[in-house]
Amino acid sequence: MALRIRWLAAAAIISTVALGVLLSVSGCGSTDQQGNGNRLRVVASTNVWGSVARAVAGDAADVKSIINDPSADPHAYESTPADAAAVTNANLVVFNGGGYDDFIQKILQQAGNKPTVQAFALESQKPAEGALPNEHVWYDLSVVQSVAQQVAEKLDQLNPGQAQQFTARAQAFRTEIDGLAGKLSNIARTHGGQRVAMTEPVAQYLITAAGLTDATPPDFVHAVEEQKDPPAAAVAATKDLFARRQVRALIYNPQAETPVTSQIRTASEAVRIPVVTMTETLPENTDYRGWMSGQIDALSAALQG
């Protein structure tokens, strides 16, 4: 009898535990389903590409951007287990590529086959002879439009019921970017050929589209891009651009700031040559179009000064 009582007690405990686990699992599944419904999960490496994806997805997807900090340097970002989980569970991953956000590609190697959009793979401009490939392709407006189009196509496949809406939103976004391209064309007509300097080639595609000439010594920008100290001769030559007023503006990336780039900014400000800030991620409370439009407007105003 005692043995049977102990057996029944143990069975009751096991049943209770099993029921608790079952309810827990069911509860998690129910919460997830109610919270997300049919919404897709899109993960972007930075909030730049997250903003592009969100413009296309609308309210049909939850879009998560791994890097949101406007002061962060995505080149040096180290992913977390939470990042890996987000990428692994995503229906679509949008990233830059070109060596810029390698942490995403490392996670994707472990996550298996998954729909992706890689921006750098859509870049058609070839670097000039002797120049390094430029991974900052979100400053190439045609690439941004292509990313929006590919996001729409991927989302169409994942949720055919909303294909028309995805396509329409992508087209609307592309039209907005056409407006930005028009602003660059206006700069090219008015200021084409004027010289500017840059602390690193973050906005090279935009500068080229605006018809401007980068006068910065290549040794300077390449060293900053590779997170090295530029040669002393390159630093002196860059400072001389401002001392002799040989450039109309300085394009400054605060996310790649070093003591040397700060010196260059000081040299520019000392002779009242405008400094135009151009960053790698979005500031808070803005989207891609608003952010890029503001930067183009700042460049135009600097050239008119």
Side-chain angles (χ1 to χ4, degrees), residues 47 68-71 281-287 291:
N47 59 6
N68 282 295
D69 186 352
S71 65
T281 52
L282 299 182
E284 293 182 358
N285 303 318
T286 188
D287 59 13
W291 169 62

mmCIF file of all heavy atoms in Angstrom, residues 47 68-71 281-287 291:
data_model
loop_
_atom_site.group_PDB
_atom_site.id
_atom_site.type_symbol
_atom_site.label_atom_id
_atom_site.label_comp_id
_atom_site.label_asym_id
_atom_site.label_seq_id
_atom_site.Cartn_x
_atom_site.Cartn_y
_atom_site.Cartn_z
ATOM 1 N N ASN A 47 20.209 50.836 -39.049
ATOM 2 C CA ASN A 47 18.908 51.485 -39.194
ATOM 3 C C ASN A 47 18.752 52.179 -40.540
ATOM 4 O O ASN A 47 17.644 52.571 -40.914
ATOM 5 C CB ASN A 47 18.629 52.446 -38.032
ATOM 6 C CG ASN A 47 19.656 53.555 -37.901
ATOM 7 O OD1 ASN A 47 20.557 53.713 -38.729
ATOM 8 N ND2 ASN A 47 19.536 54.336 -36.836
ATOM 9 N N ASN A 68 21.496 50.826 -34.095
ATOM 10 C CA ASN A 68 20.671 52.038 -34.061
ATOM 11 C C ASN A 68 21.421 53.250 -33.535
ATOM 12 O O ASN A 68 20.985 54.379 -33.732
ATOM 13 C CB ASN A 68 19.445 51.814 -33.169
ATOM 14 C CG ASN A 68 18.371 51.003 -33.854
ATOM 15 O OD1 ASN A 68 17.800 51.445 -34.840
ATOM 16 N ND2 ASN A 68 18.107 49.815 -33.348
ATOM 17 N N ASP A 69 22.523 53.015 -32.851
ATOM 18 C CA ASP A 69 23.252 54.089 -32.188
ATOM 19 C C ASP A 69 23.893 55.015 -33.220
ATOM 20 O O ASP A 69 24.741 54.578 -34.004
ATOM 21 C CB ASP A 69 24.334 53.481 -31.289
ATOM 22 C CG ASP A 69 25.057 54.521 -30.452
ATOM 23 O OD1 ASP A 69 24.836 55.735 -30.677
ATOM 24 O OD2 ASP A 69 25.852 54.128 -29.577
ATOM 25 N N PRO A 70 23.509 56.300 -33.256
ATOM 26 C CA PRO A 70 24.078 57.211 -34.248
ATOM 27 C C PRO A 70 25.562 57.504 -34.044
ATOM 28 O O PRO A 70 26.205 58.079 -34.919
ATOM 29 C CB PRO A 70 23.242 58.487 -34.077
ATOM 30 C CG PRO A 70 22.693 58.406 -32.701
ATOM 31 C CD PRO A 70 22.479 56.957 -32.417
ATOM 32 N N SER A 71 26.117 57.092 -32.904
ATOM 33 C CA SER A 71 27.546 57.313 -32.664
ATOM 34 C C SER A 71 28.370 56.038 -32.866
ATOM 35 O O SER A 71 29.591 56.060 -32.736
ATOM 36 C CB SER A 71 27.765 57.834 -31.234
ATOM 37 O OG SER A 71 27.386 56.856 -30.280
ATOM 38 N N THR A 281 24.851 56.080 -39.903
ATOM 39 C CA THR A 281 23.560 55.591 -39.429
ATOM 40 C C THR A 281 22.622 56.773 -39.225
ATOM 41 O O THR A 281 23.063 57.926 -39.148
ATOM 42 C CB THR A 281 23.696 54.798 -38.114
ATOM 43 O OG1 THR A 281 24.433 55.595 -37.167
ATOM 44 C CG2 THR A 281 24.429 53.484 -38.331
ATOM 45 N N LEU A 282 21.341 56.481 -39.130
ATOM 46 C CA LEU A 282 20.342 57.540 -39.005
ATOM 47 C C LEU A 282 20.350 58.156 -37.609
ATOM 48 O O LEU A 282 20.479 57.438 -36.613
ATOM 49 C CB LEU A 282 18.943 56.977 -39.251
ATOM 50 C CG LEU A 282 18.637 56.345 -40.615
ATOM 51 C CD1 LEU A 282 17.184 55.905 -40.646
ATOM 52 C CD2 LEU A 282 18.928 57.297 -41.733
ATOM 53 N N PRO A 283 20.163 59.464 -37.524
ATOM 54 C CA PRO A 283 19.875 60.066 -36.221
ATOM 55 C C PRO A 283 18.509 59.579 -35.735
ATOM 56 O O PRO A 283 17.746 58.966 -36.494
ATOM 57 C CB PRO A 283 19.842 61.574 -36.525
ATOM 58 C CG PRO A 283 20.463 61.726 -37.880
ATOM 59 C CD PRO A 283 20.207 60.451 -38.612
ATOM 60 N N GLU A 284 18.192 59.866 -34.504
ATOM 61 C CA GLU A 284 16.900 59.459 -33.964
ATOM 62 C C GLU A 284 15.768 60.238 -34.640
ATOM 63 O O GLU A 284 15.940 61.367 -35.089
ATOM 64 C CB GLU A 284 16.859 59.693 -32.447
ATOM 65 C CG GLU A 284 17.812 58.796 -31.657
ATOM 66 C CD GLU A 284 17.709 59.027 -30.166
ATOM 67 O OE1 GLU A 284 16.926 59.907 -29.760
ATOM 68 O OE2 GLU A 284 18.413 58.342 -29.409
ATOM 69 N N ASN A 285 14.614 59.598 -34.708
ATOM 70 C CA ASN A 285 13.371 60.238 -35.162
ATOM 71 C C ASN A 285 13.445 60.755 -36.595
ATOM 72 O O ASN A 285 12.956 61.859 -36.897
ATOM 73 C CB ASN A 285 12.988 61.383 -34.209
ATOM 74 C CG ASN A 285 12.826 60.927 -32.778
ATOM 75 O OD1 ASN A 285 12.249 59.874 -32.524
ATOM 76 N ND2 ASN A 285 13.346 61.698 -31.843
ATOM 77 N N THR A 286 14.055 59.979 -37.467
ATOM 78 C CA THR A 286 14.042 60.338 -38.880
ATOM 79 C C THR A 286 14.043 59.053 -39.703
ATOM 80 O O THR A 286 14.207 57.960 -39.168
ATOM 81 C CB THR A 286 15.254 61.218 -39.243
ATOM 82 O OG1 THR A 286 15.095 61.702 -40.582
ATOM 83 C CG2 THR A 286 16.553 60.426 -39.161
ATOM 84 N N ASP A 287 13.813 59.203 -40.994
ATOM 85 C CA ASP A 287 13.869 58.061 -41.894
ATOM 86 C C ASP A 287 14.922 58.337 -42.965
ATOM 87 O O ASP A 287 15.540 59.410 -42.981
ATOM 88 C CB ASP A 287 12.501 57.765 -42.519
ATOM 89 C CG ASP A 287 11.939 58.941 -43.319
ATOM 90 O OD1 ASP A 287 12.686 59.907 -43.607
ATOM 91 O OD2 ASP A 287 10.743 58.916 -43.657
ATOM 92 N N TRP A 291 16.636 61.987 -43.711
ATOM 93 C CA TRP A 291 18.055 62.085 -43.342
ATOM 94 C C TRP A 291 18.915 62.479 -44.536
ATOM 95 O O TRP A 291 19.693 63.433 -44.470
ATOM 96 C CB TRP A 291 18.489 60.743 -42.775
ATOM 97 C CG TRP A 291 19.954 60.530 -42.565
ATOM 98 C CD1 TRP A 291 20.778 61.234 -41.729
ATOM 99 C CD2 TRP A 291 20.771 59.517 -43.172
ATOM 100 N NE1 TRP A 291 22.056 60.717 -41.776
ATOM 101 C CE2 TRP A 291 22.077 59.667 -42.653
ATOM 102 C CE3 TRP A 291 20.515 58.498 -44.070
ATOM 103 C CZ2 TRP A 291 23.130 58.835 -43.030
ATOM 104 C CZ3 TRP A 291 21.555 57.656 -44.445
ATOM 105 C CH2 TRP A 291 22.848 57.829 -43.929
#
